[in-house]
């Protein structure tokens, strides 16, 4: 070995934290990730599911952090030695700025925190710049004023503090516009916990943020982390939603996520609201503590929160279930307890929403500066990112909000200052205009109209209208209203909580069908959720005109005959949102099983980044070729050509042929078969047809049948029963077992197709029925296609208006496809990629480790093709490389398929027994 080769080998990163001897592709993946962290910027790393991707990510990224901190210590020691011999010489100009400033920044932060702690800075707004004696004095003055005006003391708490005109105080100055004695109240300030002791801790440098789509995927990450040596060497915290963390039974029983969030915030607000305690004065003039002021019982003892944090720090890697169990045992809130660990954590594990939403990052106190962000399951990152920033408000919510504001203004009009009156009246004008959009006919000349088919039996046909933001504002005649200032007022004045609380009081005193939140068809809502929907919509209307579209959907409820519908803002671009993360973090890693086409992701999320600066790595699968058998199945047992396109998939002949295929598969495939359909509706139609024809009974003689439920809470139960059926085969003698396995009927895009592992017997055969293109009659999809078609054009907004046909269509898929065909390239590619990414996610659920094996049947003639004549856009060209390389592209008849399957399972069963 040459000296140069020896030096290169010595400089190669080592990964002693990997718990096993890594396979070659795992080593390559870890080295690629390590090099990406060295370079910084954006990288995309592709590794098929089942190749140990999660473990490789953990060991590579944490090793890099460990190595950098070691270098930092060595450098600090060297500097200290130099300073002893040569005073004043610090650092090296050859180092990157972010590395050279570590020590200096740490010292500065320590000094800042000492100052903040000494003077009480950074605490909740009740303590900011206020003499403790000022609040009671101001409140007494207000009480005198209110009594003089004859206000009922019971209503006094709902009165807004005086709000100064924007002419007197600049909105952008950062100064409060409220008189002394008030307190800025925003969503973030409401949610600050007094128990937060993060000011006492030093924030870790080089923090890693790992996020994935679901809580189950985060739990899987923690499970893999525990296998490594890092689990006891780092501080790790797992974040999640209140619904997953809450242990307050009174709050949990509310069930709905929104209501749980609102109730939690109400309890925190009442717990720390000093003003309400002082104002609640009895007849003898003494302060009286109400029940509400006690807050959540799980947060009353700050000492328990500190103990909880210490326990979590010492126990190593805990998932959400562990954190909740610990909180229950100690009698303290695991949601706020885990949040308080963020500053001191080396690794923060969290769901997409918490990291990708700016408001969530600010609320959780996530500091991405110079950190590492790893986004797993990033195959649909662009769509997931923009969907998080959609906004929607229904007509019933608008009615509810408008009625609340109207009643509040009528009650307090004479007591409110001119600033409050003006902004509240402006808000009523905006709300009334939005309501009018859904209640009456409007000029559609500036919008694209889509007559959509019936969405449900209880709702009459829907009229969907798509408009640009500016056209929408002009059509409502509210384009002259400064929505930014209006939103600032709502945030600073605590308007929402005041009006909502007043509405709740009125509701308790009188049964008002509008104020009590129950609709004619049993629809439930709360004042806070309705107000938040309005605020989200107003925020959306402040976006740049080309960033999104407004969807106006009108309908009439069959159960009441009342006008219904909703307004929805559809975000079209994630570039600005994602740039906020890229600009702060040292490195962004996008990881997934199938990330191609890379260019589409680059154009949609970071188009400013040249192709040469985007680091991309892809590796093959660890399983040998004989462990996978993908077949394009074009004909069934009776010779019927499989064509599950929209026009022919409902044919009884087609459905019967599919049933006969399953009848044959249950005889040749051992253990579990998972069948994916394009939608719940189509799965239901097929199931009912099989039941009527007797095919279902024939299948059930060999295997039990399970169906994916629509409701997420029921999915775990069905999966558990399916797995128990498969596992139970090994405990029965062959001649005693009633079945030879089970079949699970699932849906592409459902919970089962995303993140659920069908390793070993749970997925010996994956059947993909048809090519599951999303319905193009969806107006939101059409708008996204049109936007993506315009990417790269000199004037995207104008191009989008002219390059794609804006013809009317009535929900007919063929008419919708004519719009898609008018796209030149990008729009069509995006539409096809949506489909094949969903296919790849579904069929990739089967192979989970090196000894696993499975067959994959792509059942549709569109999958079958002569490989030498395939076009670039052919479906099979978008399959993962490890599947595409082993695909049987065509068969003459089902007999060939059956023979291949028989040989495949016979070979692998024999190999399994060796």
């Amino acid at each position: 070995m040459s000296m140069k080769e020896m030096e290169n080998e010595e400089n190669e990163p080592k990964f002693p934290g990997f718990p096993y001897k890594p396979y070659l592709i795992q080593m390559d993946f870890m080295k690629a990730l390590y090099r990406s962290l060295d370079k910084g910027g954006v990288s995309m790393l592709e590794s098929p599911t089942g190749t140990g991707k999660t473990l490789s990510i953990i060991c590579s990224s944490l090793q890099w952090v460990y190595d950098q901190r070691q270098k930092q210590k060595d450098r600090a020691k060297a500097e200290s030695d130099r300073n002893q011999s040569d005073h004043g010489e610090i650092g090296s100009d050859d180092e990157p700025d972010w590395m050279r400033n570590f020590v200096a920044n740490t010292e500065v932060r320590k000094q800042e925190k000492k100052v903040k702690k000494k003077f009480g800075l950074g605490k909740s707004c009740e303590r900011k710049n206020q003499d403790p004696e000022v609040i009671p004095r101001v409140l007494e003055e207000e009480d005198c004023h209110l009594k003089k005006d004859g206000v009922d003391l019971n209503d006094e708490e709902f009165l807004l503090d005086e709000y100064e005109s924007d002419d007197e105080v600049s909105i952008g100055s950062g100064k409060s516009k409220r008189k002394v004695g008030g307190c800025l109240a925003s969503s973030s300030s409401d949610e600050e916990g007094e128990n937060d002791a993060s000011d006492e801790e030093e924030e870790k440098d080089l923090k890693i943020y790992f996020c994935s789509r679901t809580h189950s995927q985060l739990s899987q990450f923690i499970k893999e982390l525990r296998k490594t040596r890092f689990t006891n060497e780092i501080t790790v915290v797992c974040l999640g939603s209140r619904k997953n963390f809450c242990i307050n039974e009174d709050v949990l029983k509310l069930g709905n996520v929104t209501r749980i969030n609102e109730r939690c915030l109400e309890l925190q607000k009442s717990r720390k609201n000093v003003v309400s305690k002082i104002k609640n004065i009895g007849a003898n003039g003494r302060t009286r503590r109400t029940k509400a002021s006690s807050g959540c019982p799980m947060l009353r003892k700050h000492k328990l929160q500190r103990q909880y944090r210490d326990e979590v720090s010492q126990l190593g890697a805990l998932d959400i279930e562990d954190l909740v169990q610990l909180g229950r045992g100690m009698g303290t809130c695991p949601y706020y307890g885990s949040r308080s660990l963020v500053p001191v954590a080396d690794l923060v594990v969290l769901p997409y929403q918490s990291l990708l939403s700016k408001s969530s990052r600010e609320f959780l106190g996530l500091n991405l500066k110079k950190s590492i962000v790893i986004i797993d399951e990033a195959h649909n990152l662009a769509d997931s990112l923009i969907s998080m920033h959609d906004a929607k408000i229904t007509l019933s919510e608008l009615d509810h909000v408008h009625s609340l504001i109207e009643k509040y203004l009528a009650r307090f009009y004479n007591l409110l200052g001119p600033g409050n009156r003006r902004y509240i009246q402006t808000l009523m004008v905006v709300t009334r205009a939005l309501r009018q959009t859904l209640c009456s006919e409007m000029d559609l000349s500036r919008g694209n109209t889509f007559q959509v088919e019936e969405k449900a039996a209880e709702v009459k046909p829907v009229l969907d209208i798509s408009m640009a933001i500016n056209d929408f504002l002009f059509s409502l005649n509210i384009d002259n209203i400064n929505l930014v200032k209006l939103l600032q007022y709502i945030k600073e004045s605590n308007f929402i909580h005041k009006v909502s609380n007043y509405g709740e009081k009125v509701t308790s005193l009188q049964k008002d069908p509008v104020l009590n939140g129950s609709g004619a068809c049993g629809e439930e809502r709360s004042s806070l959720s309705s107000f938040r929907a309005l605020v989200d919509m107003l925020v959306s209307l402040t976006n740049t005109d080309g960033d999104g579209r407004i969807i106006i959907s009108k309908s009439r409820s069959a159960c009441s005959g009342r006008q219904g519908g909703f307004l929805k803002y559809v975000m079209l671009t994630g570039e600005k949102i994602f740039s906020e993360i890229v600009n702060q973090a040292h490195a962004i890693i996008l990881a997934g099983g199938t990330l191609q086409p890379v260019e589409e992701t680059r154009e949609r999320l970071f188009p400013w980044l040249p192709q040469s600066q985007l680091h991309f790595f892809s590796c093959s699968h660890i399983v040998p070729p004989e462990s996978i058998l993908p077949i394009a199945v074009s004909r069934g047992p009776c010779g019927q050509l499989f064509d599950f396109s929209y026009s022919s998939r409902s044919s009884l002949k087609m459905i019967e042929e599919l049933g006969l295929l399953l009848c044959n598969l249950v005889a040749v495939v051992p253990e579990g078969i998972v069948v994916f359909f394009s939608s719940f509706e189509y799965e239901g139609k097929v199931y009912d047809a099989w039941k009527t024809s007797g095919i279902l009974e024939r299948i059930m003689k060999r295997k039990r049948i399970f169906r994916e439920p629509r409701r997420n809470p029921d999915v775990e139960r069905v999966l558990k029963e399916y797995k128990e059926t498969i596992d139970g085969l090994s405990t029965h003698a062959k001649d005693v077992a009633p079945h030879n396995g089970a079949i699970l009927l699932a849906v592409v895009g459902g919970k089962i197709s995303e993140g659920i592992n069908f390793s070993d017997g749970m997925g010996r055969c994956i059947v993909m029925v048809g090519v599951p293109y999303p319905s193009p009659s969806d107006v939101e999809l059409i708008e996204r296609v049109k936007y993506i078609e315009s990417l790269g054009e000199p004037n995207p907004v104008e191009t989008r208006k002219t390059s794609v046909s804006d013809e009317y269509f009535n929900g007919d898929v063929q008419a919708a496809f004519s719009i898609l065909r008018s796209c030149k390239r990008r729009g069509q590619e995006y539409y096809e990629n949506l489909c094949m990414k969903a296919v790849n996610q579904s069929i990739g659920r089967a192979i989970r480790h090196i000894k696993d094996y499975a067959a994959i049947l792509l059942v549709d003639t569109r999958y079958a093709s002569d490989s030498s004549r395939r076009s670039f856009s052919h479906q099979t060209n978008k399959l993962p490389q490890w599947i595409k390389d082993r695909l049987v592209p065509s068969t003459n008849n089902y007999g060939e398929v059956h023979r291949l399957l028989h040989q495949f399972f016979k070979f692998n069963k024999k190999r399994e027994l060796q």
Side-chain angles (χ1 to χ4, degrees), residues 37 41 96 120 132 158 160 218 234 237 243 251 275 312 363-364 379 400 461 473 525 578 594 647 711 791 843 863 866:
L37 296 180
F158 307 120
L160 289 163
L218 298 180
I234 64 170
V237 62
K243 185 174 183 181
V251 176
V275 176
V312 174
F363 161 52
L364 293 171
H379 55 282
H400 187 49
L473 294 174
R525 64 181 175 277
F578 200 68
T594 308
S647 58
R711 295 180 67 252
L791 290 176
I843 63 180
Y863 288 114
D866 179 356

Side-chain angles (χ1 to χ4, degrees), residues 735-750:
D735 54 345
V736 178
H739 300 93
N740 72 345
I743 289 182
L744 177 59
L745 307 182
V747 174
V748 174

Side-chain angles (χ1 to χ4, degrees), residues 638-649:
C638 295
Q640 172 68 41
L641 194 69
F642 280 130
D643 178 11
F644 291 97
S645 58
Y646 185 81
S647 58
S648 59
R649 68 182 183 183

Side-chain angles (χ1 to χ4, degrees), residues 23 74 349 438 447-448 457 579 700 774-775 799 807 811 832 854 864 876 898:
Y23 299 114
D74 294 343
V349 183
L438 295 172
N448 304 328
S579 66
M700 292 176 70
S775 172
T799 303
E807 65 185 83
E832 292 171 0
T876 54
H898 198 87

Side-chain angles (χ1 to χ4, degrees), residues 644-671:
F644 291 97
S645 58
Y646 185 81
S647 58
S648 59
R649 68 182 183 183
S650 297
S651 162
L652 290 178
K653 194 172 182 180
M654 194 68 60
I655 292 174
E656 183 179 351
E657 190 76 1
L658 179 63
L660 293 175
L661 172 66
L662 264 293
C663 288
N664 280 272
L665 291 181
V666 296
V668 70
V669 178
E671 302 174 292

Side-chain angles (χ1 to χ4, degrees), residues 329-578:
M330 297 179 66
T332 191
C333 178
Y335 175 76
Y336 282 102
S338 59
R339 272 183 48 188
S340 68
L341 274 160
V342 169
V344 297
D346 300 286
L347 172 63
V348 180
V349 183
L350 69 170
Y352 266 26
Q353 179 70 38
S354 300
L355 184 115
L356 298 177
S357 166
K358 183 179 180 180
S359 59
S360 295
R361 291 197 303 273
E362 291 175 347
F363 161 52
L364 293 171
L366 306 184
N367 180 15
L368 302 187
K369 192 172 183 181
K370 308 304 180 190
S371 293
I372 298 162
V373 174
I374 300 174
I375 302 174
D376 198 15
E377 299 296 324
H379 55 282
N380 282 328
L381 177 61
D383 285 327
S384 298
L385 183 65
I386 59 178
S387 65
M388 288 176 192
H389 294 80
D390 288 350
K392 179 180 177 181
I393 187 167
T394 65
L395 177 59
S396 58
E397 286 173 329
L398 283 167
D399 285 339
H400 187 49
V401 167
H402 188 268
S403 178
L404 283 170
I405 299 174
E406 195 172 47
K407 291 180 182 297
Y408 180 87
L409 189 60
R411 171 68 183 84
F412 295 103
Y413 185 86
N414 293 328
L415 304 171
L416 294 169
N420 278 311
R421 283 203 299 264
R422 181 159 60 87
Y423 278 107
I424 294 174
Q425 287 171 331
T426 302
L427 185 59
M428 285 191 68
V429 169
V430 173
T431 308
R432 193 179 299 118
L434 296 177
R435 287 177 67 240
Q436 191 65 22
T437 303
L438 295 172
C439 291
S440 63
E441 296 298 326
M442 64 177 294
D443 179 15
L444 307 182
S445 59
R446 290 176 176 167
N448 304 328
T449 305
F450 305 87
Q451 193 77 31
V452 181
E453 60 188 359
E454 294 188 14
K455 294 184 177 178
E458 70 274 8
V459 179
K460 293 188 176 180
V462 175
L463 178 68
D464 282 353
I465 304 161
S466 165
M467 300 185 76
I469 297 175
N470 288 347
D471 289 342
F472 179 71
L473 294 174
F474 279 121
S475 69
L476 301 185
N477 200 27
I478 57 174
D479 55 291
N480 59 333
I481 292 177
N482 190 324
L483 295 179
V484 174
K485 289 185 178 180
L486 183 59
L487 285 164
Q488 192 76 13
Y489 167 76
I490 293 172
K491 178 180 178 180
E492 292 186 350
S493 66
N494 202 19
F495 175 79
I496 290 177
H497 285 93
K498 293 282 187 180
V499 178
S500 297
N501 291 340
Y502 177 71
E504 287 175 7
K505 180 187 176 183
V506 173
T507 300
S508 65
L509 298 176
Q510 63 184 50
K511 299 299 179 182
D512 188 314
V514 175
L515 285 178
N516 66 14
S518 60
C521 293
E523 179 189 356
E524 292 187 2
R525 64 181 175 277
S526 72
S527 302
L528 280 175
S529 62
S530 296
F531 267 113
R532 287 196 174 114
L534 175 63
V535 169
D536 288 344
M537 181 56 65
L538 296 182
V539 169
S540 298
L541 294 175
T542 63
N543 284 319
T544 305
D545 189 48
D547 286 353
R549 301 281 287 185
I550 301 293
I551 307 298
I552 306 165
S553 182
K554 299 183 180 183
S555 65
R556 188 173 294 277
S557 174
C559 66
S560 65
R562 294 180 60 188
Q563 184 74 34
F566 60 83
L567 298 174
K568 184 172 183 179
Y569 173 77
V570 180
M571 180 72 81
L572 296 176
T573 174
E575 175 185 342
K576 295 177 184 176
I577 305 165
F578 200 68

Side-chain angles (χ1 to χ4, degrees), residues 719-736:
L719 283 173
K720 183 172 180 289
E721 292 177 10
Y722 173 71
K723 187 178 188 302
E724 287 173 349
T725 301
I726 303 297
D727 293 343
L729 295 174
S730 59
T731 61
H732 292 286
K734 265 193 172 180
D735 54 345
V736 178

Side-chain angles (χ1 to χ4, degrees), residues 798-867:
E798 290 303 317
T799 303
R800 194 168 68 253
K801 289 180 179 179
T802 58
S803 66
V804 180
S805 172
D806 283 339
E807 65 185 83
Y808 298 93
F809 68 98
N810 61 0
D812 178 70
V813 174
Q814 296 304 321
F817 270 117
S818 70
I819 292 180
L820 287 169
R821 281 193 293 269
S822 67
C823 297
K824 295 175 182 177
R825 181 177 67 84
R826 286 186 174 92
Q828 287 185 8
E829 278 288 304
Y830 169 70
Y831 183 69
E832 292 171 0
N833 291 339
L834 275 179
C835 169
M836 292 310 296
K837 283 179 183 179
V839 169
N840 294 338
Q841 275 297 108
S842 301
I843 63 180
R845 300 292 101 201
I847 305 293
R848 309 307 301 173
H849 56 85
I850 195 169
K851 293 184 179 180
D852 207 354
Y853 61 93
I856 298 171
L857 304 185
L858 304 172
V859 185
D860 197 294
T861 187
R862 288 172 289 179
Y863 288 114
S865 172
D866 179 356
S867 58

